[in-house]
Amino acid sequence: MPSIGRHRLVDGLQAARQTFFMTVTLPAVFESFVRQKIATGLYQNADEVVEESLGLMRQQERWKMAASAKIDEGLQDMVEGRFLTSTESMADMEAFKANWRAKA
């Protein structure tokens, strides 16, 4: 279970960002992974590895929310009758491909 310690506001270029100091306990497999990432030279310390990991997690969550919204939109279109039959869809795709080939 992570524990939260003291925090401070960083001045300079990071004036708008708050930095919180936390102690996090990782399973051995993740500690090893973090050490491997630092050993590559791409990261200077564990903080950088964790920061990038959390950034990627945030990005993934945003993508999932956007994808879920698109799925909901598609389902609503189906409920309201805004869709093509399989035959119409295939014909539409064939027309698209023919147009694309004509331009190539």
Side-chain angles (χ1 to χ4, degrees):
M1 177 75 66
S3 62
I4 300 174
R6 64 188 187 281
H7 61 87
R8 66 184 170 94
L9 182 63
V10 178
D11 294 324
L13 295 175
Q14 296 180 334
R17 286 174 61 184
Q18 282 187 339
T19 300
F20 295 93
F21 294 94
M22 301 177 86
T23 300
V24 179
T25 304
L26 298 173
V29 66
F30 288 132
E31 181 182 355
S32 174
F33 181 74
V34 169
R35 290 184 190 283
Q36 288 172 8
K37 290 298 176 185
I38 295 168
T40 68
L42 294 174
Y43 305 94
Q44 292 183 5
N45 54 48
D47 293 344
E48 289 182 3
V49 176
V50 171
E51 185 174 346
E52 181 158 338
S53 299
L54 291 172
L56 290 170
M57 184 185 298
R58 177 183 287 157
Q59 199 173 46
Q60 183 182 41
E61 286 177 355
R62 288 178 181 158
W63 183 90
K64 285 179 182 180
M65 287 179 11
S68 181
K70 290 290 186 183
I71 290 169
D72 290 343
E73 180 183 342
L75 291 172
Q76 188 62 38
D77 283 347
M78 290 182 67
V79 166
E80 295 177 10
R82 292 188 304 265
F83 62 91
L84 300 175
T85 66
S86 60
T87 304
E88 292 169 329
S89 181
M90 289 172 63
D92 192 45
M93 185 54 70
E94 289 302 322
F96 176 83
K97 290 192 297 186
N99 187 37
W100 179 77
R101 287 182 186 131
K103 290 180 182 181

XYZ file of all heavy atoms in Angstrom:
823
model
N 0.848 -1.179 0.000
C 0.000 0.000 0.000
C 0.889 1.237 0.000
O 1.751 1.377 0.857
C -0.896 -0.040 1.232
C -1.785 1.175 1.399
S -3.202 1.277 0.311
C -4.174 -0.093 0.853
N 0.734 2.145 -0.975
C 1.564 3.344 -1.000
C 1.275 4.249 0.199
O 0.152 4.318 0.663
C 1.172 4.043 -2.293
C 0.155 3.208 -2.959
C -0.171 2.062 -2.080
N 2.294 4.922 0.654
C 2.090 5.896 1.710
C 2.541 7.259 1.208
O 3.507 7.352 0.460
C 2.862 5.508 2.963
O 4.240 5.481 2.679
N 1.829 8.287 1.586
C 2.132 9.630 1.124
C 2.914 10.352 2.209
O 2.507 10.406 3.357
C 0.848 10.401 0.792
C 0.086 9.677 -0.310
C 1.168 11.830 0.375
C -1.258 10.275 -0.620
N 4.041 10.929 1.804
C 4.859 11.684 2.743
C 4.673 13.176 2.535
O 3.616 13.631 2.142
N 5.737 13.947 2.745
C 5.671 15.397 2.618
C 5.572 15.792 1.143
O 5.823 15.000 0.252
C 6.887 16.018 3.278
C 8.181 15.642 2.612
C 9.372 16.141 3.438
N 10.595 15.931 2.712
C 11.233 14.770 2.618
N 10.735 13.702 3.204
N 12.353 14.661 1.943
N 5.204 17.045 0.882
C 5.151 17.542 -0.493
C 5.702 18.956 -0.535
O 5.788 19.643 0.465
C 3.727 17.488 -1.054
C 2.739 18.317 -0.299
N 2.541 19.639 -0.570
C 1.930 18.017 0.733
C 1.629 20.121 0.255
N 1.241 19.158 1.059
N 6.092 19.391 -1.708
C 6.611 20.746 -1.869
C 6.257 21.250 -3.258
O 5.975 20.473 -4.167
C 8.123 20.784 -1.680
C 8.883 20.036 -2.757
C 10.385 20.038 -2.447
N 11.084 19.145 -3.332
C 11.663 19.529 -4.463
N 11.653 20.777 -4.831
N 12.283 18.648 -5.231
N 6.273 22.540 -3.433
C 6.037 23.151 -4.728
C 7.387 23.417 -5.370
O 8.276 24.005 -4.754
C 5.251 24.467 -4.570
C 4.889 25.177 -5.854
C 3.965 24.288 -6.684
C 4.181 26.489 -5.551
N 7.569 22.957 -6.603
C 8.836 23.119 -7.299
C 8.820 24.451 -8.028
O 7.856 24.786 -8.710
C 9.056 21.960 -8.295
C 10.350 22.156 -9.063
C 9.073 20.634 -7.558
N 9.881 25.252 -7.883
C 9.974 26.552 -8.545
C 10.570 26.396 -9.941
O 10.899 25.303 -10.374
C 10.846 27.497 -7.724
C 10.214 27.843 -6.392
O 8.980 27.964 -6.353
O 10.952 27.988 -5.406
N 10.728 27.498 -10.655
C 11.364 27.490 -11.959
C 10.428 27.007 -13.042
O 9.268 27.390 -13.091
N 10.951 26.176 -13.936
C 10.178 25.695 -15.079
C 8.966 24.884 -14.664
O 7.988 24.803 -15.391
C 11.070 24.860 -16.009
C 12.205 25.602 -16.692
C 13.069 24.621 -17.481
C 11.673 26.695 -17.596
N 9.013 24.279 -13.493
C 7.918 23.441 -13.041
C 7.025 24.163 -12.040
O 6.327 23.544 -11.257
C 8.453 22.156 -12.405
C 9.208 21.280 -13.374
C 9.710 20.025 -12.708
O 9.930 19.995 -11.515
N 9.881 18.985 -13.482
N 6.992 25.472 -12.091
C 6.226 26.246 -11.110
C 4.760 25.876 -11.096
O 4.110 25.937 -10.058
C 6.396 27.737 -11.380
N 4.217 25.497 -12.227
C 2.792 25.165 -12.304
C 2.511 23.738 -11.861
O 1.356 23.360 -11.697
C 2.285 25.366 -13.732
N 3.537 22.936 -11.686
C 3.355 21.530 -11.296
C 3.676 21.354 -9.822
O 4.671 21.859 -9.332
C 4.312 20.634 -12.087
C 3.909 20.436 -13.518
C 4.953 19.677 -14.283
N 5.186 18.356 -13.754
C 6.113 17.552 -14.223
N 6.884 17.924 -15.193
N 6.282 16.361 -13.700
N 2.845 20.620 -9.147
C 3.165 20.255 -7.776
C 3.835 18.896 -7.801
O 3.437 18.019 -8.552
C 1.905 20.170 -6.926
C 1.368 21.500 -6.507
C 0.229 21.336 -5.523
O -0.394 20.297 -5.446
N -0.038 22.380 -4.774
N 4.858 18.743 -6.996
C 5.535 17.464 -6.878
C 5.237 16.910 -5.499
O 5.477 17.573 -4.497
C 7.056 17.631 -7.068
O 7.287 18.180 -8.361
C 7.763 16.305 -6.949
N 4.701 15.715 -5.453
C 4.398 15.066 -4.188
C 5.384 13.925 -3.980
O 5.664 13.172 -4.901
C 2.967 14.509 -4.192
C 1.924 15.581 -4.272
C 1.415 15.974 -5.486
C 1.474 16.205 -3.120
C 0.461 16.980 -5.562
C 0.527 17.205 -3.183
C 0.015 17.598 -4.409
N 5.896 13.829 -2.792
C 6.804 12.747 -2.460
C 5.984 11.593 -1.909
O 5.172 11.770 -1.009
C 7.839 13.220 -1.438
C 8.749 14.271 -1.993
C 8.468 15.613 -1.812
C 9.871 13.910 -2.721
C 9.294 16.587 -2.337
C 10.702 14.878 -3.253
C 10.418 16.222 -3.059
N 6.185 10.414 -2.478
C 5.454 9.232 -2.047
C 6.439 8.090 -1.869
O 7.456 8.019 -2.549
C 4.420 8.817 -3.111
C 3.402 9.871 -3.447
S 2.314 9.309 -4.771
C 1.116 8.438 -3.793
N 6.089 7.193 -0.994
C 6.819 5.952 -0.866
C 5.906 4.866 -1.405
O 4.775 4.731 -0.947
C 7.164 5.670 0.604
O 7.968 6.734 1.089
C 7.905 4.357 0.743
N 6.388 4.144 -2.398
C 5.592 3.098 -3.024
C 6.356 1.791 -2.931
O 7.546 1.736 -3.243
C 5.308 3.443 -4.514
C 4.509 2.363 -5.179
C 4.602 4.789 -4.619
N 5.677 0.750 -2.514
C 6.284 -0.565 -2.437
C 5.902 -1.344 -3.689
O 4.719 -1.482 -4.001
C 5.794 -1.318 -1.182
O 6.089 -0.512 -0.042
C 6.465 -2.664 -1.059
N 6.920 -1.808 -4.413
C 6.688 -2.556 -5.646
C 7.037 -4.022 -5.459
O 7.999 -4.351 -4.764
C 7.565 -2.002 -6.776
C 7.344 -0.564 -7.201
C 8.413 -0.158 -8.211
C 5.962 -0.401 -7.808
N 6.300 -4.897 -6.131
C 6.714 -6.304 -6.145
C 8.097 -6.411 -6.806
O 8.474 -5.563 -7.624
C 5.649 -6.990 -6.992
C 4.484 -6.066 -6.995
C 5.045 -4.687 -6.843
N 8.816 -7.436 -6.491
C 10.183 -7.612 -6.991
C 10.256 -7.549 -8.511
O 11.201 -6.976 -9.065
C 10.761 -8.927 -6.489
N 9.279 -8.102 -9.196
C 9.314 -8.110 -10.659
C 9.269 -6.686 -11.213
O 9.941 -6.379 -12.192
C 8.175 -8.986 -11.239
C 6.806 -8.400 -10.928
C 8.342 -9.172 -12.740
N 8.513 -5.785 -10.576
C 8.448 -4.396 -11.042
C 9.698 -3.622 -10.646
O 10.171 -2.776 -11.403
C 7.195 -3.696 -10.517
C 5.935 -4.173 -11.187
C 4.835 -4.528 -10.428
C 5.835 -4.267 -12.562
C 3.667 -4.971 -11.025
C 4.680 -4.706 -13.173
C 3.590 -5.060 -12.409
N 10.239 -3.922 -9.475
C 11.483 -3.266 -9.076
C 12.588 -3.620 -10.064
O 13.347 -2.763 -10.511
C 11.889 -3.681 -7.661
C 13.173 -3.002 -7.213
C 13.630 -3.427 -5.832
O 12.913 -4.192 -5.161
O 14.724 -2.980 -5.445
N 12.638 -4.879 -10.454
C 13.623 -5.331 -11.431
C 13.416 -4.627 -12.771
O 14.371 -4.196 -13.417
C 13.521 -6.847 -11.606
O 14.367 -7.285 -12.626
N 12.167 -4.481 -13.176
C 11.844 -3.813 -14.439
C 12.298 -2.355 -14.403
O 12.898 -1.861 -15.365
C 10.338 -3.900 -14.705
C 9.914 -3.274 -15.992
C 10.163 -3.892 -17.205
C 9.254 -2.054 -15.995
C 9.774 -3.315 -18.406
C 8.858 -1.467 -17.179
C 9.123 -2.095 -18.391
N 12.029 -1.666 -13.299
C 12.441 -0.267 -13.156
C 13.958 -0.173 -13.234
O 14.511 0.677 -13.939
C 11.911 0.341 -11.835
C 12.549 1.695 -11.551
C 10.390 0.463 -11.882
N 14.660 -1.061 -12.541
C 16.127 -1.047 -12.576
C 16.654 -1.294 -13.996
O 17.629 -0.679 -14.419
C 16.693 -2.079 -11.610
C 16.492 -1.705 -10.159
C 17.166 -2.721 -9.211
N 16.788 -2.515 -7.844
C 17.257 -1.554 -7.061
N 18.132 -0.703 -7.538
N 16.855 -1.452 -5.813
N 16.010 -2.193 -14.723
C 16.412 -2.469 -16.109
C 16.238 -1.217 -16.975
O 17.083 -0.916 -17.821
C 15.595 -3.612 -16.689
C 15.938 -4.962 -16.139
C 14.962 -6.042 -16.611
O 14.115 -5.805 -17.454
N 15.082 -7.225 -16.026
N 15.141 -0.497 -16.788
C 14.885 0.716 -17.569
C 15.928 1.779 -17.279
O 16.410 2.463 -18.182
C 13.478 1.263 -17.297
C 12.384 0.388 -17.863
C 12.534 0.328 -19.369
C 11.559 -0.577 -20.037
N 11.803 -0.711 -21.467
N 16.311 1.918 -16.018
C 17.351 2.884 -15.645
C 18.684 2.472 -16.264
O 19.430 3.305 -16.785
C 17.458 3.008 -14.116
C 16.160 3.597 -13.554
C 18.670 3.850 -13.722
C 16.035 3.488 -12.045
N 18.955 1.171 -16.270
C 20.217 0.653 -16.816
C 20.357 0.927 -18.312
O 21.474 1.010 -18.828
C 20.334 -0.844 -16.542
N 19.242 1.101 -19.022
C 19.330 1.398 -20.461
C 19.881 2.789 -20.716
O 20.327 3.085 -21.814
C 17.944 1.308 -21.144
O 17.110 2.374 -20.677
C 17.296 -0.041 -20.940
N 19.819 3.643 -19.692
C 20.286 5.014 -19.851
C 19.200 5.969 -20.328
O 19.425 7.172 -20.412
N 18.025 5.450 -20.636
C 16.926 6.314 -21.081
C 16.291 7.058 -19.915
O 15.625 8.080 -20.112
C 15.856 5.482 -21.800
C 16.288 4.843 -23.112
C 15.190 3.927 -23.646
C 16.621 5.921 -24.134
N 16.476 6.553 -18.713
C 15.915 7.156 -17.511
C 17.037 7.326 -16.497
O 17.890 6.460 -16.373
C 14.810 6.273 -16.913
C 13.716 5.958 -17.903
C 13.760 4.793 -18.661
C 12.653 6.829 -18.082
C 12.757 4.510 -19.578
C 11.649 6.550 -19.004
C 11.713 5.388 -19.750
O 10.727 5.111 -20.660
N 16.994 8.438 -15.791
C 18.039 8.688 -14.796
C 17.719 8.059 -13.448
O 18.629 7.758 -12.678
C 18.244 10.187 -14.618
C 18.839 10.844 -15.836
C 19.105 12.315 -15.603
O 18.938 12.837 -14.512
N 19.546 12.995 -16.642
N 16.426 7.873 -13.164
C 16.056 7.356 -11.852
C 14.659 6.736 -11.907
O 13.967 6.829 -12.928
C 16.123 8.460 -10.795
C 15.302 9.672 -11.197
O 14.147 9.546 -11.598
N 15.904 10.854 -11.103
N 14.262 6.146 -10.800
C 12.956 5.475 -10.725
C 11.810 6.469 -10.908
O 10.781 6.121 -11.483
C 12.831 4.750 -9.387
N 11.996 7.710 -10.439
C 10.950 8.717 -10.595
C 10.579 8.910 -12.062
O 9.404 9.009 -12.414
C 11.396 10.062 -10.018
C 11.548 10.035 -8.511
O 11.032 9.089 -7.877
O 12.183 10.955 -7.970
N 11.591 8.970 -12.935
C 11.322 9.156 -14.361
C 10.591 7.958 -14.961
O 9.698 8.128 -15.792
C 12.629 9.401 -15.119
C 13.234 10.747 -14.844
C 14.501 11.005 -15.639
O 14.912 10.155 -16.467
O 15.094 12.069 -15.424
N 10.953 6.760 -14.549
C 10.285 5.550 -15.044
C 8.820 5.555 -14.615
O 7.923 5.332 -15.426
C 10.989 4.266 -14.540
C 10.218 3.023 -14.986
C 12.431 4.216 -15.018
N 8.579 5.851 -13.357
C 7.209 5.857 -12.836
C 6.400 6.973 -13.479
O 5.244 6.779 -13.859
C 7.211 5.969 -11.295
C 5.808 6.199 -10.757
C 7.828 4.716 -10.687
N 7.005 8.160 -13.640
C 6.293 9.277 -14.246
C 5.854 8.944 -15.672
O 4.713 9.197 -16.055
C 7.172 10.536 -14.252
C 6.438 11.762 -14.762
C 7.258 13.032 -14.643
O 8.285 13.046 -13.941
O 6.862 14.024 -15.277
N 6.754 8.358 -16.457
C 6.376 7.983 -17.823
C 5.320 6.882 -17.822
O 4.384 6.904 -18.615
C 7.582 7.534 -18.642
C 7.161 7.185 -20.062
C 8.288 7.231 -21.062
O 9.296 7.898 -20.808
O 8.137 6.583 -22.103
N 5.461 5.928 -16.927
C 4.477 4.843 -16.830
C 3.094 5.385 -16.514
O 2.096 4.986 -17.120
C 4.897 3.839 -15.754
O 6.139 3.258 -16.080
N 3.016 6.306 -15.562
C 1.725 6.884 -15.202
C 1.162 7.742 -16.336
O -0.043 7.757 -16.572
C 1.846 7.699 -13.914
C 2.104 6.870 -12.660
C 2.394 7.781 -11.477
C 0.942 5.946 -12.366
N 2.051 8.432 -17.055
C 1.610 9.210 -18.215
C 0.996 8.307 -19.279
O -0.032 8.638 -19.882
N 1.632 7.167 -19.505
C 1.093 6.211 -20.481
C -0.234 5.629 -20.010
O -1.146 5.408 -20.812
C 2.110 5.101 -20.749
C 3.351 5.539 -21.523
C 4.407 4.435 -21.519
C 2.994 5.934 -22.939
N -0.345 5.396 -18.703
C -1.605 4.892 -18.153
C -2.716 5.925 -18.354
O -3.834 5.585 -18.753
C -1.455 4.569 -16.667
C -2.707 3.937 -16.062
S -2.583 3.686 -14.271
C -1.218 2.553 -14.163
N -2.397 7.188 -18.109
C -3.374 8.261 -18.307
C -3.799 8.319 -19.784
O -4.974 8.437 -20.099
C -2.793 9.601 -17.884
C -3.744 10.765 -18.145
C -3.136 12.078 -17.791
N -3.078 12.198 -16.349
C -2.236 12.991 -15.699
N -1.383 13.727 -16.363
N -2.255 13.056 -14.393
N -2.824 8.222 -20.674
C -3.103 8.231 -22.115
C -4.009 7.056 -22.502
O -4.948 7.208 -23.277
C -1.762 8.158 -22.856
C -1.778 8.580 -24.275
C -0.346 8.602 -24.807
O 0.438 7.673 -24.586
N 0.002 9.668 -25.503
N -3.728 5.891 -21.953
C -4.527 4.705 -22.234
C -5.956 4.882 -21.725
O -6.918 4.518 -22.413
C -3.888 3.477 -21.593
C -4.618 2.192 -21.891
C -3.967 1.002 -21.196
O -3.554 1.089 -20.045
N -3.863 -0.103 -21.909
N -6.110 5.449 -20.547
C -7.453 5.688 -20.008
C -8.233 6.651 -20.890
O -9.423 6.453 -21.139
C -7.369 6.217 -18.580
C -6.988 5.160 -17.578
C -6.827 5.714 -16.170
O -6.924 6.954 -15.975
O -6.592 4.907 -15.262
N -7.575 7.700 -21.378
C -8.239 8.656 -22.275
C -8.659 7.968 -23.568
O -9.745 8.216 -24.086
C -7.326 9.842 -22.565
C -7.161 10.762 -21.387
C -6.210 11.889 -21.698
N -6.044 12.750 -20.536
C -5.010 13.541 -20.345
N -4.030 13.597 -21.230
N -4.939 14.289 -19.267
N -7.772 7.106 -24.105
C -8.101 6.389 -25.330
C -9.311 5.480 -25.099
O -10.207 5.418 -25.936
C -6.898 5.571 -25.797
C -7.166 4.871 -27.084
C -6.946 5.346 -28.345
C -7.731 3.559 -27.248
N -7.340 4.423 -29.272
C -7.831 3.311 -28.636
C -8.163 2.586 -26.363
C -8.338 2.121 -29.148
C -8.674 1.408 -26.875
C -8.749 1.185 -28.248
N -9.320 4.779 -23.975
C -10.439 3.886 -23.665
C -11.748 4.659 -23.547
O -12.795 4.201 -24.020
C -10.183 3.115 -22.365
C -9.184 2.001 -22.500
C -8.977 1.317 -21.151
C -7.954 0.223 -21.220
N -7.762 -0.426 -19.911
N -11.701 5.823 -22.910
C -12.913 6.635 -22.778
C -13.396 7.102 -24.145
O -14.602 7.074 -24.433
C -12.659 7.830 -21.850
C -12.555 7.424 -20.405
S -12.220 8.729 -19.167
C -12.414 10.247 -19.994
N -12.479 7.527 -25.006
C -12.852 7.977 -26.348
C -13.412 6.812 -27.163
O -14.416 6.972 -27.874
C -11.645 8.600 -27.055
N -12.785 5.650 -27.061
C -13.271 4.472 -27.794
C -14.649 4.066 -27.296
O -15.542 3.746 -28.094
C -12.288 3.310 -27.646
N -14.855 4.107 -25.989
C -16.149 3.768 -25.413
C -17.230 4.730 -25.903
O -18.350 4.309 -26.222
C -16.063 3.792 -23.892
O -17.299 3.439 -23.325
N -16.894 6.010 -25.984
C -17.854 7.002 -26.481
C -18.215 6.728 -27.940
O -19.386 6.842 -28.328
C -17.279 8.412 -26.327
N -17.225 6.344 -28.747
C -17.487 6.015 -30.157
C -18.367 4.768 -30.275
O -19.253 4.702 -31.131
C -16.173 5.811 -30.922
C -15.378 7.061 -31.127
C -16.086 7.962 -32.122
C -15.229 9.160 -32.456
N -15.907 10.084 -33.353
N -18.114 3.788 -29.426
C -18.945 2.574 -29.433
C -20.376 2.929 -29.056
O -21.331 2.490 -29.713
C -18.358 1.506 -28.489
C -17.050 0.956 -29.072
C -19.362 0.387 -28.233
C -16.251 0.111 -28.116
N -20.532 3.749 -28.015
C -21.873 4.181 -27.609
C -22.571 4.925 -28.748
O -23.763 4.729 -28.995
C -21.809 5.068 -26.368
C -21.416 4.301 -25.114
O -21.496 3.050 -25.119
O -21.030 4.954 -24.123
N -21.822 5.771 -29.438
C -22.378 6.520 -30.570
C -22.831 5.567 -31.673
O -23.913 5.720 -32.241
C -21.324 7.497 -31.109
C -21.777 8.333 -32.281
C -20.659 9.225 -32.820
O -19.660 9.467 -32.109
O -20.789 9.663 -33.975
N -22.009 4.566 -31.958
C -22.366 3.582 -32.977
C -23.600 2.775 -32.598
O -24.468 2.512 -33.440
N -23.676 2.389 -31.335
C -24.851 1.644 -30.871
C -26.111 2.499 -30.963
O -27.176 2.021 -31.360
C -24.638 1.150 -29.439
C -23.581 0.053 -29.281
C -23.319 -0.222 -27.802
C -24.001 -1.217 -29.998
N -25.981 3.780 -30.619
C -27.130 4.683 -30.729
C -27.546 4.844 -32.187
O -28.742 4.881 -32.497
C -26.806 6.047 -30.104
C -27.993 6.966 -30.002
C -29.102 6.395 -29.114
O -28.841 5.768 -28.091
N -30.349 6.587 -29.518
N -26.574 4.925 -33.081
C -26.887 4.996 -34.521
C -27.687 3.772 -34.944
O -28.659 3.884 -35.701
C -25.608 5.093 -35.357
C -24.999 6.478 -35.342
O -25.677 7.435 -34.899
O -23.833 6.607 -35.776
N -27.295 2.602 -34.465
C -28.014 1.376 -34.821
C -29.438 1.408 -34.284
O -30.383 1.067 -35.003
C -27.270 0.146 -34.296
C -25.973 -0.129 -35.034
S -25.152 -1.603 -34.424
C -26.292 -2.874 -34.924
N -29.605 1.842 -33.038
C -30.928 1.918 -32.434
C -31.829 2.842 -33.253
O -33.015 2.571 -33.457
C -30.832 2.405 -30.967
C -32.186 2.816 -30.418
C -30.201 1.326 -30.099
N -31.236 3.931 -33.763
C -32.007 4.921 -34.519
C -32.052 4.615 -36.019
O -32.540 5.420 -36.795
C -31.443 6.308 -34.244
C -31.632 6.709 -32.784
C -31.018 8.046 -32.436
O -30.602 8.786 -33.352
O -30.942 8.354 -31.228
N -31.548 3.435 -36.412
C -31.653 3.007 -37.811
C -30.630 3.614 -38.750
O -30.784 3.527 -39.966
N -29.579 4.230 -38.213
C -28.536 4.840 -39.054
C -27.395 3.850 -39.248
O -26.382 3.886 -38.549
C -28.037 6.129 -38.421
C -29.058 7.248 -38.388
C -28.441 8.568 -37.922
N -27.786 8.488 -36.632
C -28.367 8.805 -35.467
N -29.619 9.213 -35.436
N -27.690 8.716 -34.342
N -27.580 2.911 -40.170
C -26.533 1.943 -40.467
C -26.771 1.377 -41.866
O -27.832 1.539 -42.446
C -26.500 0.815 -39.429
C -27.760 0.001 -39.364
C -27.915 -1.135 -40.149
C -28.797 0.375 -38.521
C -29.073 -1.887 -40.090
C -29.958 -0.375 -38.451
C -30.105 -1.506 -39.234
N -25.739 0.730 -42.402
C -25.828 0.077 -43.709
C -26.022 -1.418 -43.511
O -25.495 -1.993 -42.562
C -24.542 0.308 -44.512
C -24.158 1.753 -44.828
C -22.793 1.783 -45.510
C -25.202 2.426 -45.690
N -26.737 -2.033 -44.435
C -26.811 -3.491 -44.426
C -25.464 -4.024 -44.882
O -24.633 -3.277 -45.419
C -27.919 -4.002 -45.367
O -27.539 -3.663 -46.711
C -29.278 -3.413 -45.021
N -25.227 -5.312 -44.721
C -23.952 -5.881 -45.152
C -23.762 -5.701 -46.654
O -22.656 -5.390 -47.116
C -23.853 -7.348 -44.762
O -24.886 -8.096 -45.356
N -24.810 -5.844 -47.430
C -24.728 -5.667 -48.890
C -24.381 -4.222 -49.233
O -23.511 -3.964 -50.070
C -26.063 -6.071 -49.557
O -26.363 -7.417 -49.188
C -25.983 -5.957 -51.064
N -25.037 -3.273 -48.560
C -24.747 -1.858 -48.805
C -23.317 -1.518 -48.390
O -22.618 -0.770 -49.082
C -25.725 -0.973 -48.017
C -27.156 -1.044 -48.511
C -28.134 -0.385 -47.557
O -27.890 -0.388 -46.325
O -29.151 0.142 -48.043
N -22.888 -2.073 -47.284
C -21.545 -1.814 -46.790
C -20.491 -2.352 -47.764
O -19.498 -1.681 -48.053
C -21.364 -2.461 -45.420
O -20.082 -2.214 -44.921
N -20.712 -3.567 -48.274
C -19.764 -4.149 -49.231
C -19.715 -3.329 -50.508
O -18.636 -3.073 -51.059
C -20.121 -5.609 -49.512
C -19.829 -6.505 -48.310
S -20.427 -8.199 -48.498
C -19.486 -8.760 -49.888
N -20.877 -2.884 -51.001
C -20.928 -2.063 -52.212
C -20.215 -0.731 -51.977
O -19.472 -0.248 -52.846
C -22.377 -1.840 -52.628
N -20.422 -0.143 -50.812
C -19.776 1.114 -50.457
C -18.256 0.948 -50.424
O -17.512 1.796 -50.928
C -20.312 1.583 -49.102
C -19.934 3.011 -48.771
O -20.062 3.880 -49.662
O -19.524 3.256 -47.620
N -17.794 -0.159 -49.864
C -16.353 -0.411 -49.794
C -15.766 -0.656 -51.179
O -14.672 -0.179 -51.497
C -16.062 -1.601 -48.869
C -14.587 -1.852 -48.650
S -13.636 -0.437 -48.069
C -14.248 -0.264 -46.422
N -16.470 -1.375 -52.010
C -15.995 -1.611 -53.390
C -15.883 -0.294 -54.145
O -14.917 -0.071 -54.878
C -16.906 -2.593 -54.110
C -16.788 -4.031 -53.614
C -15.375 -4.600 -53.714
O -14.663 -4.309 -54.704
O -14.981 -5.336 -52.792
N -16.851 0.587 -53.981
C -16.813 1.897 -54.640
C -15.632 2.715 -54.125
O -14.933 3.386 -54.894
C -18.126 2.643 -54.407
N -15.398 2.651 -52.817
C -14.274 3.367 -52.216
C -12.949 2.867 -52.801
O -12.084 3.647 -53.172
C -14.288 3.188 -50.695
C -13.110 3.815 -49.997
C -13.113 5.163 -49.689
C -11.994 3.051 -49.667
C -12.023 5.745 -49.054
C -10.905 3.625 -49.035
C -10.917 4.974 -48.724
N -12.792 1.530 -52.862
C -11.552 0.943 -53.390
C -11.361 1.304 -54.854
O -10.250 1.624 -55.283
C -11.553 -0.575 -53.202
C -11.406 -0.985 -51.744
C -11.126 -2.467 -51.557
C -12.241 -3.343 -52.047
N -12.033 -4.769 -51.741
N -12.430 1.259 -55.633
C -12.340 1.596 -57.058
C -11.902 3.050 -57.220
O -11.054 3.365 -58.071
C -13.665 1.355 -57.750
N -12.461 3.932 -56.418
C -12.091 5.346 -56.470
C -10.631 5.540 -56.062
O -9.896 6.317 -56.687
C -13.037 6.147 -55.559
C -12.821 7.645 -55.685
O -12.552 8.141 -56.774
N -12.946 8.340 -54.588
N -10.208 4.833 -55.032
C -8.826 4.938 -54.565
C -7.859 4.438 -55.634
O -6.824 5.051 -55.888
C -8.683 4.124 -53.281
C -7.298 4.144 -52.710
C -6.715 5.160 -52.005
C -6.333 3.102 -52.807
N -5.443 4.808 -51.655
C -5.167 3.550 -52.135
C -6.333 1.833 -53.380
C -4.030 2.780 -52.041
C -5.183 1.073 -53.277
C -4.051 1.548 -52.615
N -8.192 3.313 -56.268
C -7.327 2.762 -57.333
C -7.261 3.695 -58.519
O -6.211 3.816 -59.160
C -7.853 1.391 -57.771
C -7.591 0.310 -56.752
C -8.075 -1.042 -57.246
N -7.937 -2.022 -56.197
C -8.889 -2.851 -55.815
N -10.080 -2.815 -56.409
N -8.685 -3.696 -54.848
N -8.354 4.365 -58.836
C -8.386 5.283 -59.985
C -7.471 6.478 -59.748
O -6.892 7.009 -60.693
C -9.825 5.748 -60.229
N -7.303 6.871 -58.505
C -6.454 8.005 -58.168
C -4.983 7.605 -58.100
O -4.107 8.469 -58.196
C -6.878 8.608 -56.829
C -8.200 9.314 -56.894
C -8.547 9.891 -55.540
C -9.904 10.575 -55.577
N -10.245 11.151 -54.275
N -4.687 6.320 -57.913
C -3.308 5.861 -57.718
C -2.521 5.791 -58.982
O -2.744 5.994 -60.044
C -3.289 4.483 -57.070
